[in-house]
Amino acid sequence: MSSPQTASLSWGKMKVKGCSSSYKDCTVWPGGSRAWDRETEHAPGVQPADLEEVLKKGIDLLVIGRGMKEALQVPSSTLNLVQKGIKVRVLETETAVTEYNKLASEGTVVGGIFQSTC
């Protein structure tokens, strides 16, 4: 199953190809996507529970978008919980989405979690 590419990104809004919904923040994985309803502020940021679903999808690489202004923190304690063998890239969201789409188009089994605001 392939990872769906993001169709568009603007401040506070993302669209995923093949999905009629738009998201503020989203999680994508091979075969699906959904809204990312994070319950934390920019700090402490991304928590292990935020990654659980996407990590269970058999991905080889995870791309994390920290926001358009990189305000969202990704603590090393969260990254340390990512399973061995899964590579992680933490980037500003526009760069992260571009990288995610490139990897997905190349057939990489990639997942992503993206914040579309600050």
Side-chain angles (χ1 to χ4, degrees):
M1 196 172 298
S2 62
S3 300
Q5 293 187 18
T6 56
S8 64
L9 169 66
S10 59
W11 185 272
K13 186 175 180 181
M14 294 184 71
K15 298 266 310 160
V16 174
K17 289 183 181 178
C19 181
S20 60
S21 301
S22 62
Y23 306 113
K24 177 181 174 200
D25 303 322
C26 78
T27 303
V28 288
W29 61 83
S33 65
R34 73 167 181 83
W36 174 29
D37 299 317
R38 58 185 187 84
E39 296 183 20
T40 63
E41 298 295 323
H42 292 125
V46 181
Q47 298 300 296
D50 295 320
L51 305 180
E52 284 178 1
E53 181 178 30
V54 71
L55 292 175
K56 291 178 183 176
K57 302 295 183 179
I59 61 171
D60 296 325
L61 195 146
L62 174 66
V63 180
I64 300 174
R66 294 188 49 215
M68 304 291 217
K69 296 182 180 180
E70 298 185 271
L72 184 65
Q73 301 298 303
V74 183
S76 58
S77 58
T78 296
L79 294 176
N80 291 339
L81 295 174
V82 175
Q83 298 135 341
K84 300 284 188 228
I86 297 177
K87 297 175 183 148
V88 181
R89 296 185 186 164
V90 180
L91 305 162
E92 176 273 330
T93 295
E94 288 179 306
T95 304
V97 166
T98 299
E99 179 71 3
Y100 170 87
N101 280 343
K102 176 181 170 278
L103 292 163
S105 71
E106 294 170 349
T108 302
V109 183
V110 62
I113 188 164
F114 306 107
Q115 174 179 291
S116 70
T117 57
C118 42

